[in-house]
Amino acid sequence: MTSRMPKDKAARTAAGQPARISKAGRAKYSPASAPAKALLPTVFANWFKSRGWLPRAHQIALLEHAKTRRSTLLIAPTGAGKTLAGFLPSLVELSESKKAALKGSGLHTLYISPLKALSVDVARNLQAPIEEMGLKIKAETRTGDTTVSRRTRQRLKPPDILLTTPEQVALLLAHPDAPFLFADVRTVILDELHAISGSKRGDLLCLDLARLRKHAPEMLTIGLSATVARPSELRAYLLTQDTPEECLALADMVIAEGGAEPRITILESDEPAPWSGHFARYAIPAVYDAIKQHSLTLIFVNTRMQAELVFQELWNANDDALRIALHHGSLDRGQRRKVEAAMAEGRLDAVVATSTLDLGIDWGDIDLVVHVGAPKGSSRLLQRIGRSNHRLDEPSKALLVPGNRFEVLECRAALDAAHACVQDVALSRSGALDVLAQHILGLACQAPFDPAELFKEIRSAAPYCSVSRSTFDRVIEFVATGGYALKAYERYAKLRLEPDGRLRVANGRIAQTYRMNAGTIVERPMIKVRLVGRRGGARCGGKAGAPRPLLGGRVLGELEEYFIEQLTPGQAFVFAGEVLRFEGLKETEAFVSRATADDPIVPSYNGGKFPLSTHLAERVRALLHDRSSWRHLPVPVSDWLALQDERSAIPQTNEVLIETFPRSGRYHLVAYPFEGRLAHQTLGMLLTRRLERAGAMPMGFVANDYGISIWGRRDIGAMIDQGQVILGRLFEEDMLGDDLEAWLAESSLMKRTFRYCAVISGLIERRHPGKEKSGRQVTMSTDLIYDVLLRHEPGHILIEAARADAASGLLDIYRLGDFLRRINGAIRHVALDRVSPLSVPILLEIGRESVGHLGREDILRESAEDLLRDVMG
């Protein structure tokens, strides 16, 4: 039976405390009962027995729900067999069903995962039970790597089970034959649902589910997730929202019993954690020793820059010739696949990886996960440590390696949250309007549509259940004409009105271009990095003379265009685990050769930096305030906090500490909100504007996940004492009004956000038949359109979408607003005559470069010693 949650209760839940997955109502693992045996056909029961397995209670529960056609969310820990549980209803139904008259192509089950590699891996694992039980069931994958001929055949004669990605589903729905292809779909399985639902990819997928239900009204949805903070949101995602004004329809839920408690420790080495930085060079000997003591170690980091640096440091320490590999999204796909195969086959001792290996792919017998740097969220930590001992009844083993002293506090808070099984709570979000525009254009490519009917369909998707008809009509107008300011240009006229009131795509060229650009992942301008030899190379044109590539010179991967443009010929940098020399650039390829260098730079990458989660920030503030908990911290860290308590103050959990002090001819204001890097950067921009108006003459600011420092020419502490700066007014919530608007009008941030919305919505297409726009061309086009719209149509739907993106993403406005409300009347100011101990890590952020260096921590250590001399006077 479908349950419902009143919308006001859903809103209260969204604003509530971090979720705990209660043990109440969980199914117990036990041998299959008599009803379970009746649900499980003999051939399946015998297969489980031949493997030495017993069906899990949650696997049988999903069979029961599927028998009665009840869409269900399964929450299960890593290693609990949740993917097999998701497929069991389809496998059983396909094995028992007799050939019936088909309405369409015969496609029975869609399996959708957020990663191509996950689809491929699951298909491989699914094939084993199909073959071992002798089932006459055909399963295939469909990703961007699938050949054109196979993709064409799959539309006309698909397998029984198709394993694919959200982008491929959108493309299939945009084909004229979509009603035929999907008419017989009985089940849709959404794997790792938590990883996609709260994003633009999730918005598009939920819209696609609404369209799939039109083609297959009896479709059942099964959601699989290992880490869920608020199950109600995912349960609503799985169902049609037919009365969204009153309450949300919720799918059924099955919660699997938890497995063994993870064994998590925090590294305590002879060398204390540094004051600042994120690369943890101090810990490399300890990490290397841990690798030697285990069969296969997976080393997670938060950014690609960290991955390159940590790999390089481990390789330099590799006196035992251990088999260590590197895996991140900028490496060549072929190289990543080789690493994955070597992991699965047990031919590696360690892999340094980013989030590319986060999700539920079984990469082999990993017996230790090392997390270098703080995880930034308890859910992310639980997801990553679940890669270790990927079996339910064995504890995952993890080692946390803090990169600096604040990260020691964060790692401690994350460890406590993991042991308490507390997840982060992501803010509820409304569906993105640029995604809605892309979806509408895709549906028009499939067939003409009636706007009134489509509006009802759109509102049935949970992220869009509250969208108004006026907003929907504005999106339709944008897709059809580009909007008021652009409708005079034929190139933006993509829909035509038919006599019966339906809208159709204007011409076949638009449909072709849509299919080349569909999706919500906006790829940044990338340059291929090709390895060549230096001797005997003939010169060729480009940014600098580049040697002609040798025969077989291989592509190592891709780097972002802006980084390559900073390099000069001869400069050394680290990429793909090697030290490389930049030789030159021609068109979209950078030529490099192998080199040696004592201090090569490391590319920094846009994106990939996770801000500190709201829940973990609360735990860090509580840990900081609770002096009795300091005894669990390393001695250098507890001594640091004790010195702060003596020289300045330790903030209460519900207040913000503001310190002011002079240093080196400047006057600093340091605040400790603990609200994450994005919110702090926005706060810094707005505070400097207010301080400038007050006459404090601010010169700049820096921010990290824990605090912010603003420095200027006038004594800000004295101005506070004299009433020239009133902290209560300085931190008033109204800064998110006119001050924010004025800053956005001056900054380039809105143009960048608008650029992404323009690409996703289809206003600007990067790819055209036979050609592709460069990143610079896309930037010029979108910047020009943004200026035109801001001048002539500031209420344009894409500007509205860009503002919403900026508020929830790069600016973190909602979190900043919560902070300002929380500290209203709870600001503690401490005026000091010198640097405070707690401010040292934040002050070390001043002057940091946009690219990393292998010797960076030595520089930071020297700077920290200088600051500590100031602290001690």
Side-chain angles (χ1 to χ4, degrees), residues 664-692:
S664 302
R666 298 175 178 176
Y667 297 92
H668 290 259
L669 181 151
V670 180
Y672 304 93
F674 292 92
E675 291 293 348
R677 173 178 51 86
L678 297 179
H680 291 172
Q681 287 174 343
T682 303
L683 180 62
M685 287 290 188
L686 299 178
L687 286 177
T688 52
R689 295 183 70 87
R690 292 195 157 191
L691 287 170
E692 188 172 4

Side-chain angles (χ1 to χ4, degrees), residues 528-844:
K528 283 187 171 60
V529 179
R530 187 178 292 277
L531 183 65
V532 299
R534 290 174 58 193
R535 289 185 297 175
R539 293 289 178 179
C540 60
K543 174 181 174 182
R548 180 176 298 158
L550 298 176
L551 184 64
R554 64 188 176 93
V555 173
L556 299 177
E558 294 182 322
L559 280 172
E560 292 177 7
E561 184 180 64
Y562 87 96
F563 172 75
I564 294 293
E565 290 179 341
Q566 297 177 44
L567 298 177
T568 57
Q571 197 165 10
F573 67 99
V574 171
F575 180 64
E578 300 189 61
V579 178
L580 304 170
R581 181 183 189 273
F582 177 61
E583 301 291 350
L585 174 68
K586 182 180 180 183
E587 297 176 351
T588 59
E589 289 198 350
F591 300 96
V592 300
S593 58
R594 289 190 174 93
T596 56
D598 294 330
D599 191 21
I601 63 175
V602 181
S604 64
Y605 301 82
N606 288 321
K609 296 180 180 179
F610 305 114
L612 180 66
S613 73
T614 301
H615 168 60
L616 218 52
E618 291 173 357
R619 282 184 170 264
V620 171
R621 288 197 299 269
L623 176 64
L624 194 63
H625 172 65
D626 181 11
R627 290 161 178 78
S628 65
S629 67
W630 295 358
R631 67 178 183 271
H632 301 299
L633 301 172
V635 172
V637 176
S638 60
D639 287 348
W640 167 52
L641 297 181
L643 186 61
Q644 169 69 17
D645 201 14
E646 175 188 334
R647 296 294 177 89
S648 177
I650 296 292
Q652 302 282 333
T653 55
N654 62 343
E655 70 179 5
V656 64
L657 174 65
I658 308 293
E659 296 174 331
T660 53
F661 50 79
R663 184 175 190 270
S664 302
R666 298 175 178 176
Y667 297 92
H668 290 259
L669 181 151
V670 180
Y672 304 93
F674 292 92
E675 291 293 348
R677 173 178 51 86
L678 297 179
H680 291 172
Q681 287 174 343
T682 303
L683 180 62
M685 287 290 188
L686 299 178
L687 286 177
T688 52
R689 295 183 70 87
R690 292 195 157 191
L691 287 170
E692 188 172 4
R693 286 202 303 271
M697 303 175 68
M699 300 166 62
F701 78 93
V702 291
N704 62 15
D705 272 320
Y706 317 102
I708 178 174
S709 175
I710 301 172
W711 61 93
R713 292 190 178 92
R714 291 191 62 188
D715 187 341
I716 302 174
M719 294 179 72
I720 294 172
D721 291 340
Q722 296 165 12
Q724 294 172 287
V725 172
I726 300 174
L727 287 175
R729 292 181 184 172
L730 187 65
F731 284 85
E732 276 184 336
E733 191 180 354
D734 64 1
M735 72 164 60
L736 301 181
D738 292 343
D739 281 327
L740 179 62
E741 290 297 319
W743 173 51
L744 288 177
E746 297 171 2
S747 75
S748 60
L749 183 143
M750 274 299 296
K751 283 189 175 181
R752 186 185 354 153
T753 309
F754 178 83
R755 189 179 313 143
Y756 297 150
C757 290
V759 172
I760 291 172
S761 68
L763 181 68
I764 296 294
E765 301 104 349
R766 283 202 63 181
R767 300 177 187 86
H768 296 263
K771 61 180 180 179
E772 181 172 343
K773 285 185 178 180
S774 68
R776 190 174 288 105
Q777 288 172 321
V778 170
T779 299
M780 290 175 63
S781 298
T782 55
D783 285 359
L784 178 62
I785 293 174
Y786 177 79
D787 290 337
V788 169
L789 293 180
L790 204 60
R791 188 178 305 115
H792 299 290
E793 194 182 355
H796 192 278
I797 197 73
L798 275 197
I799 290 185
E800 180 180 329
R803 286 180 178 275
D805 278 4
S808 61
L810 295 172
L811 299 180
D812 218 350
I813 294 297
Y814 304 124
R815 186 168 177 182
L816 180 54
D818 288 343
F819 161 73
L820 295 173
R821 286 187 289 274
R822 174 172 65 82
I823 64 158
N824 184 22
I827 303 174
R828 186 198 298 197
H829 173 226
V830 179
L832 303 169
D833 59 2
R834 60 172 64 96
V835 173
S836 74
L838 204 61
S839 69
V840 171
I842 300 171
L843 297 180
L844 286 171

Side-chain angles (χ1 to χ4, degrees), residues 230-251:
R230 280 197 301 268
S232 59
E233 293 191 5
L234 296 190
R235 293 169 68 189
Y237 192 96
L238 296 174
L239 288 185
T240 297
Q241 300 304 320
D242 49 3
T243 57
E245 301 89 350
E246 303 168 11
C247 53
L248 296 175
L250 303 180

Side-chain angles (χ1 to χ4, degrees), residues 118-132:
L118 184 55
S119 291
V120 173
D121 181 73
V122 169
R124 183 173 58 247
N125 293 333
L126 177 64
Q127 203 59 41
I130 289 175
E131 292 177 356
E132 289 168 9

